[in-house]
Amino acid sequence: MKAYVFPGQGAQFSGMGKDLYENNAEARALFEKANEILGFRISDIMFEGTEEELKQTKVTQPAIFLHSVILAKTSPEFNPDMVAGHSLGEFSALVANGTLAFEDGLKLVYQRALAMQEACEINPSGMAAILGLEDEKVEEICASITSETVVPANYNCPGQLVISGTNKGIEIACEKMKEAGAKRALPLPVGGAFHSPLMEPAREKLQKAIENTVFYTPSCPVYQNVSTKGVREVEEIKKNLIAQLTAPVKWTQSVQQMVADGATHFIECGPGKVLQGLVKKIHKEAEVSSI
């Protein structure tokens, strides 16, 4: 069975999607529609922008979404048995399997990006990658820090967990992780504490937007970050999508569940190859490729 997976923030690069725009009329029309919806030429930033310009959350998120979704929509062999996306990638997955219309998906992603940016400004905060420690140990250390907010945020693959919290919380946690034997505890260059309680202001804004958006019955199940199970029921998809901003991304568990449900081939759809690497670390026998 084929599982299509969609990347999240961090996969962007200058020039992304340019060949699609130049060589495919349908792709070009979708990029132009996106420029119109957003009110600025995001395609120009994607094709020619500097790393700095691409790094702004309000650009990064719609850029990765557009690259992923347009790739899926214009690929003749795109025919998933199941889909999943890492954080932001869940929105791409939901457009790809027909749950959301292209325009609505883009509007939600843009609103999500702006709301997250705003939440970051309210609470200066960050994230750090913890390498080489058991998930349980990372959870235990985060729970032991009660003076600050710090929580597990991304379960990327065994031995690679990202934590999220206040700047002070991250600092304390990184020290404790190293003392506990972590190979590395590395603060990440992100603007805030994504997938933590500090994103609550963004979650509230996004909830309103999601509740006002039409969701359709998907063509195949989506394995969501919050629940890790394959979901087809529209109300459940909405509920999980709203919870996603303040809850951890359970990528390891989602991939394990997809394998248990019959996935043998994981195809990454979007910029970069990060998810292929993670899937291989989670399930060595999986076949991986990209569109």
Side-chain angles (χ1 to χ4, degrees), residues 32-77:
E32 290 303 343
K33 186 183 270 189
N35 290 335
E36 207 177 294
I37 289 168
L38 295 175
F40 66 96
R41 291 195 60 81
I42 190 165
S43 59
D44 292 354
I45 304 174
M46 289 170 71
F47 306 159
E48 316 290 346
T50 62
E51 198 181 317
E52 215 39 58
E53 288 172 306
L54 274 168
K55 223 166 59 181
Q56 301 170 65
T57 295
K58 66 171 190 178
V59 173
T60 313
Q61 294 197 21
I64 291 170
F65 167 86
L66 286 170
H67 190 266
S68 301
V69 166
I70 294 173
L71 207 49
K73 281 190 169 293
T74 56
S75 165
E77 72 265 27

Side-chain angles (χ1 to χ4, degrees), residues 63-275:
I64 291 170
F65 167 86
L66 286 170
H67 190 266
S68 301
V69 166
I70 294 173
L71 207 49
K73 281 190 169 293
T74 56
S75 165
E77 72 265 27
F78 185 77
N79 187 19
D81 296 304
M82 50 182 88
V83 294
H86 190 290
S87 185
L88 156 74
E90 195 163 284
F91 287 82
S92 312
L94 289 171
V95 173
N97 79 349
T99 310
L100 286 169
F102 172 78
E103 297 83 348
D104 291 338
L106 177 59
K107 286 174 191 165
L108 283 179
V109 164
Y110 193 52
Q111 284 170 295
R112 179 184 192 264
L114 294 176
M116 284 169 83
Q117 188 90 45
E118 214 172 286
C120 295
E121 283 154 19
I122 299 167
N123 277 316
S125 52
M127 300 175 89
I130 311 301
L131 306 181
L133 263 195
E134 293 289 316
D135 290 356
E136 294 71 23
K137 193 67 194 163
V138 176
E139 290 164 353
E140 191 186 302
I141 291 171
C142 287
S144 74
I145 300 166
T146 49
S147 56
E148 296 285 336
T149 300
V150 59
V151 296
N154 297 347
Y155 291 79
N156 284 336
C157 67
Q160 187 188 324
L161 215 165
V162 175
I163 58 170
S164 196
T166 58
N167 290 337
K168 186 73 184 150
I170 292 289
E171 200 182 305
I172 297 166
C174 282
E175 277 311 306
K176 288 184 177 248
M177 301 286 177
K178 284 176 193 160
E179 282 163 22
K183 283 187 194 139
R184 298 183 79 180
L186 198 68
L188 297 173
V190 293
F194 304 148
H195 301 288
S196 82
L198 298 173
M199 283 289 124
E200 183 55 31
R203 191 197 65 80
E204 284 169 15
K205 284 195 169 154
L206 192 63
Q207 176 166 359
K208 285 198 184 91
I210 286 171
E211 283 167 355
N212 291 326
T213 301
V214 178
F215 280 62
Y216 303 93
T217 303
S219 62
C220 68
V222 57
Y223 286 69
Q224 291 184 277
N225 295 172
V226 168
S227 71
T228 77
K229 306 272 185 286
V231 185
R232 282 175 179 266
E233 213 282 308
V234 165
E235 285 311 310
E236 199 182 333
I237 289 174
K238 276 190 183 181
K239 187 179 77 162
N240 290 337
L241 204 54
I242 290 164
Q244 195 218 51
L245 268 188
T246 51
V249 172
K250 295 179 178 169
W251 187 251
T252 302
Q253 299 88 327
S254 299
V255 171
Q256 286 166 340
Q257 189 59 54
M258 291 164 100
V259 169
D261 291 349
T264 51
H265 188 175
F266 287 80
I267 301 150
E268 186 160 5
C269 188
K273 291 184 174 173
V274 171
L275 297 184

